[in-house]
Amino acid sequence: MQAEVAELMAKAEAADAADIPDGMSIPDELARREERLRKIAEARTKIEARAKERHAREMAEYEAKLAARDAKHAATGKKPGGKPPQPPTEGPLPSDQINLTDEDSRVMPVAGGGFEEQCYNAQAAVAAGSLLVVAVDVVQAPNDKQQLAPMLGKIGALPEGLGDPETLLADTGYFSAANVETCEKAGIEPLIAMGRQPHHPPLAERFEQAPPAPENPTPVEAMAHRLKTPEGRKVYALRKQTPEPVFGIIKAVLGFRQFSLRGLDKVRAEWSLVTMAWNMKRMFALSPA
């Protein structure tokens, strides 16, 4: 583009002598390219700012992992297994990019692998039994681990007449020790998968007796034990039939598979309207004939 600007400037200086194609307006062509260069410079600045934020966040996670390894080493006297965590890379990565159409969106991996796309991460807390959506949000981070605490805050702000949640069911994408402790502090029993669950576990595994409860367990150890008990497995099984149908019907029946608006605030409003439409549809189905 800079080379094209220089060429256009040369044509402008020699406009009387040069052969300018019909329909070409040198000032308009210059303005378009200079505006594009300005947007590219802005995009580069924003990418560098995002890289600094990411590096600070990843550095904090890296230091936390090192501290956890050191604490384990001090407690057991044994060298921790596995590879030590690697420090994050500073500065923009070759894959970093910004969308000039909707810069609030982020490149995220899509389900099933394949190419990554410009996306938002839509969140929904669904009540078991009624399948009503009680809290929603849209975020720019592809990782769900950081979304549990904010969603608990939204649930806690609901009117008292709706009652208090007793148990939280979530898939392994939401698992972290901090999230388990957050649920415990909120007075909610967490049942969060600690790893991917096989679709068809062996029969003996499905009906095996739970191991003895650990003594003085940490919140994570206590939850891990609950997930192995018959009652814990029975309750956690409700997760597959609680949020999954809601998202599936919104996509397949209501036909909502992508956002029409641009910008995080507008997308959040759009997701609120979509889930409101779902709730109206669901409330009609739940109402007596």
Side-chain angles (χ1 to χ4, degrees), residues 2-61:
Q2 290 172 341
E4 289 179 358
V5 169
E7 181 182 354
L8 287 167
M9 291 296 294
K11 285 184 179 294
E13 292 175 358
D16 293 336
D19 182 16
I20 299 175
D22 292 340
M24 175 184 285
S25 170
I26 290 180
D28 291 346
E29 294 295 332
L30 277 171
R32 272 194 288 271
R33 283 158 178 78
E34 288 173 348
E35 174 65 13
R36 193 70 176 173
L37 287 170
R38 185 186 65 80
K39 289 185 177 180
I40 289 174
E42 288 181 358
R44 181 180 290 113
T45 301
K46 291 176 181 177
I47 287 174
E48 291 172 352
R50 290 182 186 176
K52 288 182 180 179
E53 293 176 0
R54 180 184 62 221
H55 182 261
R57 182 175 64 254
E58 292 178 349
M59 181 60 72
E61 295 174 356

Side-chain angles (χ1 to χ4, degrees), residues 183-197:
C183 290
E184 295 280 355
K185 291 177 181 177
I188 300 174
E189 181 182 65
L191 285 176
I192 308 172
M194 301 176 65
R196 291 195 173 275
Q197 305 292 315

Side-chain angles (χ1 to χ4, degrees), residues 98-112:
I98 193 169
N99 189 294
L100 297 180
T101 303
D102 182 5
E103 66 179 51
D104 284 351
S105 64
R106 296 290 185 270
V107 175
M108 300 185 187
V110 296

Side-chain angles (χ1 to χ4, degrees), residues 157-207:
L158 294 173
E160 294 183 2
L162 295 178
D164 296 322
E166 298 176 355
T167 306
L168 181 137
L169 310 176
D171 63 30
T172 185
Y174 292 87
F175 171 71
S176 72
N179 284 345
V180 174
E181 293 173 1
T182 298
C183 290
E184 295 280 355
K185 291 177 181 177
I188 300 174
E189 181 182 65
L191 285 176
I192 308 172
M194 301 176 65
R196 291 195 173 275
Q197 305 292 315
H199 288 291
H200 302 288
L203 191 65
E205 181 180 330
R206 289 175 57 196
F207 294 98

Side-chain angles (χ1 to χ4, degrees), residues 173-246:
Y174 292 87
F175 171 71
S176 72
N179 284 345
V180 174
E181 293 173 1
T182 298
C183 290
E184 295 280 355
K185 291 177 181 177
I188 300 174
E189 181 182 65
L191 285 176
I192 308 172
M194 301 176 65
R196 291 195 173 275
Q197 305 292 315
H199 288 291
H200 302 288
L203 191 65
E205 181 180 330
R206 289 175 57 196
F207 294 98
E208 67 179 355
Q209 292 185 346
E215 296 182 4
N216 301 319
T218 64
V220 172
E221 291 171 341
M223 185 189 75
H225 178 262
R226 286 196 297 271
L227 286 168
K228 294 179 180 179
T229 63
E231 180 63 24
R233 289 198 295 262
K234 180 180 178 180
V235 173
Y236 183 77
L238 295 175
R239 191 203 65 80
K240 293 181 180 179
Q241 64 193 58
T242 301
E244 305 296 348
V246 175

Side-chain angles (χ1 to χ4, degrees), residues 118-190:
Q118 291 289 145
C119 300
Y120 289 97
N121 184 351
Q123 301 283 317
V126 182
S130 69
L131 299 189
L132 292 172
V133 177
V134 297
V136 296
D137 198 6
V138 176
V139 297
Q140 296 166 303
N143 194 308
D144 289 327
K145 283 184 172 59
Q146 287 78 36
Q147 314 317 321
L148 189 142
M151 289 299 288
L152 282 183
K154 290 179 177 290
I155 294 172
L158 294 173
E160 294 183 2
L162 295 178
D164 296 322
E166 298 176 355
T167 306
L168 181 137
L169 310 176
D171 63 30
T172 185
Y174 292 87
F175 171 71
S176 72
N179 284 345
V180 174
E181 293 173 1
T182 298
C183 290
E184 295 280 355
K185 291 177 181 177
I188 300 174
E189 181 182 65

